[in-house]
């Protein structure tokens, strides 16, 4: 068995008879609102960009795309809320 | 000459009419048999099965709301639609609770075979009892259940050898594809007080060599399927045979509050992919509260799942996995509880190379990972 890039935190003993492996961390994953069932990663979560991606796993639980070289730990890939960027559109005039 | 012209015109006109008639006949022949709509129970069809027997592919059998006590056999690609008023004058209810088919604890409530692509809508299927598929039995067929409740059905093993094991308290699929949309599979159980093995309190997929059993699941809850009197039920929510395939679509599927001896939420093997589902608050009286991964197969992936608040009296509150070369990746695991062992328990006795990667494990207690035997 091999372990890598897991966040194991808040357990009485984090690991027993097994090593964390490459990239293992032990920090509060910082969910958005776990008390009300929202286990998406908050913006300041250390799980963001703490993984390297898994071959063939291109989307997260919500169907959001996992993109980039550094990917998030857990079922959710963090995405910033989309915001509107005004574009300077130059109208074509023949 | 004029007479000949007239005769010729009449002959040509007759020919056109004849051709038109032929085409009309062809159109009539080409009309799908599915145009027929039948109603049951009525004076014409005193039972739902009588209407099913009279229906052909693509026909619809409308079912008058109320409770019917029947065990249905379906071999055609028909639609069964509940919620109709007396004589099916209007559709009174789409809520499945108003149209109940009670199997009388004698057989499956519904058996679908023979290549059927049947569609069942707005029905509650209850009080079935069988060795395989207490509520719904599917073999060599590909039905769709939409807005159907499968509840209060029982599987009953017939012996201690593998031939006598029982599968699928709510739904059993063997050699076929079932599509479940907006369904509830709830409160199905194994027969109380028996020590013989039962698999899949809610749903069981049993595959044959080169003939996988397949489930496509959307907006469906598999909840509160249980193991009475601590019988030997493995996979109270789902049981997935080797080679089985399950696809969860969307984000509102739920496997919750199921209780088994091993594999409270899911019991499966290492060559099956389990992706994109919420597995919460399930319980195992031995090991694998959320998921029990059996031995002997490899190559599958358990990914993008949430495991929340699962528990086991012994090992592997969230996951109890045999080390068989499966990849456990990108899961979020929170708040599990194991009576005497780990949150994630990996059996070190396996010969595979299980990978646990990119997973968040935030457990209440006790351990995150530990190598010990992962018993059923």
């Amino acid at each position: 068995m091999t372990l890598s890039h897991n966040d194991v935190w808040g357990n009485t003993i984090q690991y027993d008879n097994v090593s964390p492996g490459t990239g293992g961390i032990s920090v509060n994953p910082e969910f958005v609102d776990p008390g009300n069932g929202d286990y998406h990663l908050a913006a300041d979560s250390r799980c963001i960009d703490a993984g390297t991606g898994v071959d063939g796993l291109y989307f997260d639980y919500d169907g959001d795309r996992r993109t980039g070289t550094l990917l998030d730990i857990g079922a959710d890939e963090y995405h910033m809320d989309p915001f509107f960027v005004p574009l300077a559109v130059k109208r074509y005039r023949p | 000459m004029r007479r000949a012209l007239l005769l010729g015109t009449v002959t040509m006109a007759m020919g056109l009419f004849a051709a038109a008639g032929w085409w009309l006949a062809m159109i009539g022949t080409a009309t799908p048999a599915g145009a027929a709509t039948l109603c049951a129970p009525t004076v014409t069809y005193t039972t739902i099965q009588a209407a099913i027997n009279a229906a052909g592919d693509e026909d619809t059998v409308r079912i008058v709301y109320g409770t019917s006590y029947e065990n249905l056999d379906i071999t055609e690609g028909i639609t069964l639609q509940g919620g109709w008023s007396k004589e099916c004058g209007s559709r009174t209810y789409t809520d499945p609770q108003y149209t109940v088919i009670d199997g009388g604890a004698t057989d499956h409530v519904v058996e679908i075979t023979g290549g059927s692509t049947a569609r069942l809508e707005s029905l509650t299927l209850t009080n079935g009892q069988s060795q395989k598929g207490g509520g719904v039995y599917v073999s060599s067929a590909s039905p769709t259940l939409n807005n159907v409740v499968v509840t209060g059905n029982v599987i009953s093993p017939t012996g201690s050898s593998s031939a006598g094991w029982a599968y699928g308290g709510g739904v059993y699929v063997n050699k076929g594809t079932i599509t479940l949309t907006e369904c509830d599979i709830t409160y199905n159980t194994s027969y109380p007080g028996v020590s013989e093995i039962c698999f899949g309190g809610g749903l069981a997929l049993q595959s044959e060599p080169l003939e996988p059993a397949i489930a496509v699941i959307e907006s469906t809850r598999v909840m509160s399927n249980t193991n009475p009197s601590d019988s030997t039920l493995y996979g109270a929510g789902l049981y997935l045979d080797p080679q089985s395939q399950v696809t969860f679509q969307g984000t509102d599927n739920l496997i919750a509050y199921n209780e088994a001896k091993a594999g409270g939420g899911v019991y499966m093997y290492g060559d099956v992919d389990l992706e994109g589902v919420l597995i919460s608050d399930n319980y195992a009286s031995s090991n694998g509260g959320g998921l029990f991964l059996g031995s002997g197969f490899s190559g599958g992936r358990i990914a993008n799942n949430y495991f929340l608040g699962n528990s086991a009296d012994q090992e592997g509150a969230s996951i109890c996995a045999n080390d068989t070369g499966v990849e456990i990746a990108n899961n979020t695991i929170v708040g599990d509880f194991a009576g005497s062992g780990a949150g994630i328990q990996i059996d070190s006795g396996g010969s595979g190379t299980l990978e646990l990667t990119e997973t968040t494990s935030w457990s209440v207690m006790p351990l995150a990972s530990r190598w010990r035997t992962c018993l059923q």
Side-chain angles (χ1 to χ4, degrees):
Chain A
M1 187 181 85
T2 57
L3 276 66
S4 68
H5 301 92
N6 301 292
D7 177 17
V8 179
W9 182 83
N11 308 282
T12 310
I13 301 171
Q14 307 296 9
Y15 296 93
D16 179 16
N17 202 25
V18 63
S19 68
T22 306
I25 58 176
S26 183
V27 296
N28 187 335
E30 299 290 356
F31 300 120
V32 171
D33 189 1
N36 290 305
D38 189 344
Y39 293 92
H40 289 92
L41 297 177
D44 56 351
S45 171
R46 289 270 306 276
C47 290
I48 295 172
D49 289 345
T52 57
V54 175
D55 286 348
L57 200 62
Y58 305 120
F59 298 92
D60 74 353
Y61 176 88
D62 298 317
D64 293 329
R65 194 162 182 84
R66 295 185 185 274
T67 57
T69 54
L70 295 176
L71 299 176
D72 305 345
I73 291 175
D76 174 49
E77 187 72 17
Y78 175 76
H79 287 263
M80 283 189 297
D81 291 333
F83 54 93
F84 178 69
V85 179
L87 298 175
V89 179
K90 184 176 181 179
R91 187 176 181 184
Y92 174 73
R93 295 183 186 280
Chain B
M1 185 68 180
R2 288 182 65 184
R3 186 177 177 182
L5 181 63
L6 179 64
L7 185 62
T9 303
V10 170
T11 303
M12 189 169 67
M14 289 176 66
L16 286 173
F17 278 119
W22 182 79
W23 275 108
L24 286 172
M26 285 297 292
I27 292 169
T29 303
T31 301
T37 300
L38 297 79
C39 182
T42 59
V43 173
T44 306
Y45 302 111
T46 55
T47 62
I48 299 168
Q49 186 64 52
I52 291 171
N53 293 344
D57 263 346
E58 302 185 33
D59 288 351
T60 296
V61 175
R62 293 174 173 173
I63 301 174
V64 177
Y65 69 82
T67 300
S68 300
Y69 298 90
E70 296 192 53
N71 306 96
L72 305 178
D73 290 333
I74 301 172
T75 57
E76 306 279 353
I78 61 171
T79 295
L80 286 188
Q81 189 177 70
W84 286 85
S85 64
K86 189 177 180 181
E87 303 297 331
C88 298
S90 61
R91 186 94 184 271
T92 309
Y93 300 111
T94 56
D95 189 328
Q97 69 171 307
Y98 294 105
T99 309
V100 179
I101 302 175
D102 184 322
T106 57
D107 200 352
H108 330 289
V109 182
V110 180
E111 177 176 320
I112 306 171
T113 57
S116 170
T117 55
R119 180 178 176 86
L120 278 58
E121 298 177 355
S122 301
L123 298 170
T124 294
L125 310 176
T126 190
N127 199 25
Q129 184 173 317
S130 178
Q131 182 194 0
K132 295 182 178 181
V136 179
Y137 174 91
V138 176
S139 183
S140 299
S142 297
T144 296
L145 275 60
N146 172 243
N147 194 25
V148 170
V149 176
V150 183
T151 188
N153 302 285
V154 177
I155 39 170
S156 181
T158 58
S160 57
S161 67
S162 59
W165 294 347
Y167 295 83
V171 179
Y172 169 83
V173 181
N174 165 244
K175 293 188 293 186
T177 300
I178 193 167
T179 302
L180 302 168
T181 57
E182 300 179 23
C183 290
D184 281 349
I185 301 175
T186 59
Y187 299 104
N188 303 287
T189 69
S190 54
Y191 195 81
V194 297
S195 58
E196 292 85 0
I197 298 173
C198 300
F199 291 102
L203 167 66
L205 303 184
Q206 189 178 32
S207 298
E208 303 287 342
L210 303 179
E211 292 186 284
I214 302 170
V216 180
I217 299 174
E218 181 174 0
S219 302
T220 287
R221 298 180 296 183
V222 181
M223 291 178 58
S224 303
N225 302 286
T226 57
N227 185 32
S229 306
D230 197 18
S231 300
T232 311
L233 175 63
Y234 296 151
L238 266 60
Y239 169 77
L240 307 175
D241 224 19
Q243 298 186 36
S244 299
Q245 298 171 20
V246 60
T247 302
F248 292 97
Q249 298 180 335
T251 59
D252 53 357
N253 294 294
L254 180 61
I255 300 171
Y257 299 103
N258 302 289
E259 297 182 4
K261 183 175 184 186
V266 180
Y267 188 109
M268 57 180 274
Y269 292 90
D271 64 340
V272 179
D273 291 340
L274 183 74
E275 299 190 7
V277 66
L278 170 56
I279 299 171
S280 77
D281 300 290
N282 300 285
Y283 163 76
S285 59
S286 61
N287 302 301
L291 167 68
F292 189 99
L293 192 67
S295 61
F297 296 87
S298 62
R301 185 167 64 190
I302 299 163
N304 280 346
N305 303 294
Y306 283 93
F307 291 84
L308 308 178
N310 297 290
S311 61
D313 281 352
Q314 298 176 24
E315 308 283 356
S318 294
I319 299 174
C320 206
N322 285 279
D323 189 3
T324 60
V326 69
E327 184 177 32
I328 303 176
N330 281 106
N331 299 283
T332 294
I333 299 173
V334 178
D336 53 17
F337 184 90
S340 59
I344 302 170
Q345 176 81 23
I346 309 300
D347 183 353
S348 58
S351 58
T353 53
L354 185 145
E355 292 184 38
L356 179 66
T357 62
E358 320 227 353
T359 284
T360 303
S361 174
W362 178 14
S363 301
V364 174
M365 77 150 312
L367 313 175
S369 302
R370 163 161 122 173
W371 287 37
R372 275 179 55 179
T373 303
C374 209
L375 297 173
Q376 292 178 344

